[in-house]
Amino acid sequence: MKKVFVIVIALLTMVAFASSVMAQAPAKPAEPAKPAAPAEKPKTEKKEAPKAMKATGTVAGYEAGKMIKVKGKDKETTFGITGDTKVKGEVKDGAKVTVMYKKDGDKMVATSITVAAEKKPAAPAKPAAPAKPAEPAKPAAPAAPAAPEKK
């Protein structure tokens, strides 16, 4: 599209300058007309690759290799599964999944299914062992009598 725009601007600029030069130039005998540049072929619009979209929710139904139903916050959606669909994890009813999909006409086809890892409940914390009562301090042994000093 940019190329077409640049070409059109260039042609308009040349016509503007050529018309002003033609008005000033003395009349010359007519020259044979040059063949016009071949017209550009109209470009056919390329279909854009379907944009990948994402849906998350819990599995409401699953048939391996055929389809998966995912229940989201608001609605339940059915996705087709092909041989190219990548499945990460074990898909089962009630599992939380993320489905990447694309629209193929009026159908939605899953390109990848990722099962969220189940959160294992944390093991209950062990209660702290009861503290042992401190043993009473033993009385200090009597000091030995000092030896008499010799002079």
Side-chain angles (χ1 to χ4, degrees), residues 3-119:
K3 286 183 180 180
V4 172
F5 183 70
V6 169
I7 291 172
V8 168
I9 296 296
L11 289 174
L12 289 175
T13 305
M14 289 188 338
V15 168
F17 285 107
S19 62
S20 64
V21 170
M22 294 287 262
Q24 295 176 358
K28 292 184 181 179
E31 293 181 21
K34 295 180 181 177
E40 287 186 36
K41 293 181 184 178
K43 294 182 180 180
T44 56
E45 290 184 28
K46 294 182 182 179
K47 290 185 178 180
E48 292 183 21
K51 187 177 181 181
M53 294 174 272
K54 180 168 88 170
T56 56
T58 57
V59 177
Y62 177 67
E63 288 182 48
K66 293 184 180 182
M67 69 89 184
I68 184 171
K69 284 185 184 178
V70 177
K71 184 172 183 173
K73 292 179 183 176
D74 301 332
K75 62 182 179 177
E76 185 173 284
T77 310
T78 303
F79 302 96
I81 297 176
T82 65
D84 295 334
T85 303
K86 297 174 185 167
V87 180
K88 296 176 186 170
E90 182 182 348
V91 180
K92 57 185 175 183
D93 284 352
K96 293 189 181 212
V97 293
T98 299
V99 179
M100 297 298 291
Y101 67 96
K102 62 182 177 181
K103 285 194 174 188
D104 186 15
D106 61 342
K107 295 182 179 181
M108 292 180 278
V109 180
T111 55
S112 72
I113 301 169
T114 305
V115 180
E118 292 184 26
K119 292 182 179 177

